[in-house]
């Protein structure tokens, strides 16, 4: 009896967000507008911080990197999603698929670690105000950002190494709008149950533990605020409220994606849409509308006098 040899496929077909042909053109326009809003909103925050005195403060230093990560993270997914809504054949090469998965996980994980750094910054500012400038020096801020990048790189590399060694002999249709670990595991020509457990343990449990740690840290911060003055408490609550909102918007869909409660791909796609498109869309609004410092800085940087200044 001859042994059957499997030949790895060289490209995948992305089935997309949904199969309704009539709504694809409209959704392409909507997602294009959302993508432009994400780019303009986050770049406006980034340039405002870089062009004002706010960049000297650790909180805004981290916020500038968070905005940059939002732009990069969405850019790994949104252009392909928008184009695929308009074309009939939605293919992506094997190497392109691995690259997209790596960069999506890299920028997403970096964002998670920066959110942790921002929570630590707020904890030090409110719970240890006398030592704040010493603890959160510019050198420490750079170290935290570098640690975030290195940790995200290690995480992303692990995801790619898990997938790249698997045999893919067909079918090659990914029931998603971008390349991710779980949809690819379903296409592998081998039993992947152990790998799913490993990914849930590493990515899923890590997401839960990080989320719980962030929530506990903000509870401690809110508890400490009781001893502050009314004005200081209001300002701190406004800042922490923005952070908590972003944390919930980003982490809850992420947890539901990587800690699967049921085998539902359609739900995964909806949850993924939250942390790839919706959260980056609202982050600039959340951090500016309730932040007096940001609004004042934006007036100075983008005000009429500044825009038309010749010298």
């Amino acid at each position: 009896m001859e042994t059957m040899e499997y030949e790895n496929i060289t490209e995948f077909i992305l089935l997309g967000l949904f199969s309704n042909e009539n709504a694809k053109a409209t959704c392409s326009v909507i997602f294009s507008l959302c993508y432009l809003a994400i780019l303009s909103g986050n770049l406006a925050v980034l340039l405002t911080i870089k062009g004002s005195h706010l960049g000297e403060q650790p909180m805004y230093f981290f916020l500038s990197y968070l905005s940059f990560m939002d732009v990069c993270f969405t850019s790994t997914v949104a252009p392909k999603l928008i184009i695929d809504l308009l074309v009939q054949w939605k293919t992506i090469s094997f190497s392109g698929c691995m690259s997209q998965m790596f960069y999506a996980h890299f920028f997403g994980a970096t964002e998670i670690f920066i959110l942790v750094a921002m929570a630590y910054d707020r904890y030090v500012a409110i719970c240890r105000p006398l030592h704040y400038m010493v603890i959160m020096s510019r050198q420490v801020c750079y170290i935290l950002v570098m640690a975030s990048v290195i940790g995200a790189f290690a995480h992303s590399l692990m995801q790619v190494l898990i997938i790249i060694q698997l045999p893919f002999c067909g079918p090659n249709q990914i029931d998603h709008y971008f390349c991710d670990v779980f949809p690819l595991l379903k296409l592998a020509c081998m039993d992947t149950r152990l790998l799913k457990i490993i990914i849930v343990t590493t990515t899923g449990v890590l997401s839960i533990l990080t989320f719980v740690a962030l929530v506990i840290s903000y509870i401690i911060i809110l508890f400490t605020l009781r001893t502050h003055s009314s004005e200081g408490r209001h300002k701190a609550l406004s800042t922490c409220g923005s952070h908590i909102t972003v944390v919930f918007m980003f982490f809850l869909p992420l947890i539901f994606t990587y800690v699967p409660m049921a085998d539902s791909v359609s739900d995964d796609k909806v949850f993924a849409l939250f942390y790839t498109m919706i959260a980056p869309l609202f982050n600039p609004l959340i951090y500016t509308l309730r932040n007096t410092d940001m609004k004042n800085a934006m007036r100075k940087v983008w005000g009429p006098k500044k825009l038309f200044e010749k010298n």
Side-chain angles (χ1 to χ4, degrees):
M1 182 177 178
E2 292 183 5
T3 58
M4 187 177 293
E5 292 185 4
Y6 294 115
E7 185 177 343
N8 264 5
I9 56 180
T10 57
E11 65 177 18
F12 295 103
I13 298 170
L14 293 166
L15 296 183
L17 192 58
F18 50 80
S19 56
N20 188 342
E21 295 292 334
N22 297 325
K24 284 186 176 181
T26 305
C27 286
S28 177
V29 174
I30 292 171
F31 285 131
S32 296
L33 294 173
C34 287
Y35 183 49
L36 288 173
I38 290 167
L39 292 179
S40 56
N42 283 286
L43 288 175
V45 170
L46 176 59
L47 294 173
T48 299
I49 293 170
K50 295 296 181 184
S52 68
H53 66 282
L54 291 180
E56 299 168 5
Q57 301 179 39
M59 184 181 80
Y60 296 103
F61 172 83
F62 291 126
L63 179 56
S64 66
Y65 279 95
L66 184 71
S67 296
F68 181 63
M69 287 302 120
D70 270 338
V71 169
C72 295
F73 185 35
T74 304
S75 295
T76 62
V77 176
K80 178 69 175 166
L81 168 63
I82 293 164
I83 292 169
D84 284 352
L85 285 169
L86 298 174
V87 298
Q88 190 69 30
W89 203 244
K90 312 168 188 68
T91 60
I92 185 169
S93 66
F94 183 86
S95 59
C97 187
M98 295 302 105
S99 295
Q100 187 185 54
M101 186 176 70
F102 174 84
Y103 286 115
H105 277 266
F106 174 70
F107 293 125
T110 305
E111 195 163 335
I112 288 173
F113 293 135
I114 288 175
L115 285 170
V116 173
M118 292 175 77
Y120 176 67
D121 169 71
R122 290 300 84 200
Y123 170 80
V124 176
I126 294 168
C127 299
R128 302 189 65 185
L130 297 177
H131 302 92
Y132 178 66
M133 295 310 296
V134 176
I135 296 173
M136 296 304 297
S137 65
R138 185 45 55 100
Q139 184 180 5
V140 170
C141 291
Y142 277 119
I143 289 171
L144 289 173
V145 170
M146 285 305 299
S148 300
V149 171
I150 292 168
F153 180 83
H155 161 78
S156 307
L157 188 62
M158 185 187 73
Q159 306 299 310
V160 172
L161 290 176
I162 287 173
I163 297 298
I164 208 166
Q165 65 179 340
L166 298 177
F168 293 98
C169 50
N172 66 339
Q173 294 182 330
I174 300 174
D175 193 5
H176 214 296
Y177 61 90
F178 72 99
C179 292
D180 203 6
V181 179
F182 283 134
L184 285 167
L185 285 176
K186 292 177 182 178
L187 301 182
C189 302
M190 61 174 285
D191 187 354
T192 59
R193 282 176 293 183
L194 180 60
L195 290 176
K196 286 180 182 177
I197 292 170
I198 292 170
I199 291 166
V200 168
T201 304
T202 54
T203 306
V205 174
L206 184 63
S207 298
I208 292 173
L209 292 176
T210 306
F211 176 71
V212 171
L214 287 171
V215 171
I216 291 172
S217 71
Y218 283 116
I219 290 172
I220 295 170
I221 289 169
L222 294 174
F223 184 79
T224 306
L225 283 174
R226 295 188 309 167
T227 60
H228 287 230
S229 64
S230 178
E231 184 181 348
R233 186 163 59 244
H234 177 75
K235 186 175 181 180
L237 280 172
S238 178
T239 305
C240 290
S242 300
H243 290 186
I244 293 167
T245 304
V246 170
V247 165
F248 272 85
M249 281 184 65
F250 192 85
F251 272 91
L252 289 182
L254 194 69
I255 289 168
F256 281 116
T257 301
Y258 288 99
V259 186
M261 309 298 174
D263 193 19
S264 177
V265 177
S266 60
D267 287 345
D268 287 351
K269 288 191 277 190
V270 173
F271 292 139
L273 198 63
F274 266 89
Y275 60 79
T276 56
M277 292 286 286
I278 297 173
L281 178 64
F282 282 98
N283 281 359
L285 296 174
I286 292 168
Y287 280 114
T288 54
L289 291 180
R290 298 183 61 189
N291 191 313
T292 306
D293 291 337
M294 273 296 298
K295 285 190 283 189
N296 290 336
M298 290 186 96
R299 287 192 195 101
K300 289 178 182 178
V301 174
W302 304 102
K305 290 183 181 178
K306 193 76 176 179
L307 288 174
F308 296 103
E309 194 176 38
K310 301 207 175 181
N311 297 323

